[in-house]
């Protein structure tokens, strides 16, 4: 199985990540996927998301949301959580990941990507040279094109659990 599909960590939720620990390890920029990583697909920012981004700013992180969605969806969410954003990102192509680092004035060694999909989020982060944290999708109800990708993702996760250990110690 191609290692470019493996995350550096696999956790239950973006809300359970030890962000203080990431900051102590020298990370300064966080790039997030939006739908099913932070809220269910298409949902507005909820209190939990608003509080998370306020806490991340308190810690000292700069954050960019990187989404393949259209601007109205991404912009409205980002205005609620007060984060930078890139819409129609073209994930898994690495260009938008690099643009996000430019926006935050960070680089591959002090930036982490957090998302719920292997074939867009994790693959793109790996192609850009950024450590990635894969989280479980918030809501199992998804668009058909994402549902279809979840089946091969299960195979990748099985291989990851059986034989792969983290390439980079992120957490």
């Amino acid at each position: 199985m191609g290692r470019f599909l493996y995350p550096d960590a696999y956790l239950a939720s973006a809300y359970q990540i030890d962000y203080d620990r990431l900051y102590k390890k020298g990370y300064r920029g966080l790039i997030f996927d939006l739908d099913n990583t932070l809220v269910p697909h298409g949902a507005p920012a909820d209190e939990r998301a608003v509080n998370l981004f306020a806490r991340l700013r308190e810690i000292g992180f700069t954050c960019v949301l990187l989404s393949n969605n259209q601007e109205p969806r991404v912009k409205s969410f980002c205005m609620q959580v007060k984060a930078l954003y890139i819409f129609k990102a073209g994930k898994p192509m690495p260009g938008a990941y690099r643009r996000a680092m430019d926006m935050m004035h960070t680089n591959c060694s002090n930036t982490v990507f957090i998302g719920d999909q292997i074939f867009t989020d994790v693959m793109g982060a790996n192609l850009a040279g950024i450590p990635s944290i894969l989280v479980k999708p918030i809501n199992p109800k998804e668009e058909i094109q994402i549902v279809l990708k979840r089946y091969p993702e299960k195979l990748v996760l099985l291989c990851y659990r059986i034989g792969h250990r983290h390439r980079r110690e992120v957490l």
Side-chain angles (χ1 to χ4, degrees), residues 1-7 118-119 122-123 126 134 156 160:
M1 190 66 56
R3 294 204 184 286
F4 66 95
L5 297 176
Y6 291 153
I118 290 173
F119 295 109
V122 171
M123 184 178 176
N126 286 336
L134 178 68
V156 172
Y160 170 78

Side-chain angles (χ1 to χ4, degrees), residues 28-99:
R28 296 298 180 262
L30 300 173
I31 305 172
F32 285 90
D33 173 53
L34 172 52
D35 286 320
N36 247 351
T37 296
L38 296 167
V39 294
H41 187 82
D46 56 17
E47 185 177 344
R48 184 167 72 157
V50 171
N51 290 341
L52 172 64
F53 280 85
R55 185 169 175 317
L56 294 173
R57 282 189 299 278
E58 265 178 36
I59 293 170
F61 283 110
T62 305
C63 301
V64 172
L65 272 75
L66 189 64
S67 176
N68 284 346
N69 256 310
Q70 301 292 320
E71 186 174 23
R73 162 72 180 132
V74 182
K75 182 179 181 179
S76 69
F77 185 93
C78 289
M79 289 180 73
Q80 292 175 288
V81 299
K82 299 181 177 98
L84 302 168
Y85 67 91
I86 297 173
F87 66 97
K88 290 175 66 173
K91 294 183 288 183
M93 300 306 291
Y97 294 79
R98 293 184 185 120
R99 210 164 82 227

Side-chain angles (χ1 to χ4, degrees), residues 20-31:
D20 290 309
R21 186 169 183 205
L22 286 176
Y23 195 84
K24 286 176 187 163
K25 287 183 159 243
Y27 293 103
R28 296 298 180 262
L30 300 173
I31 305 172

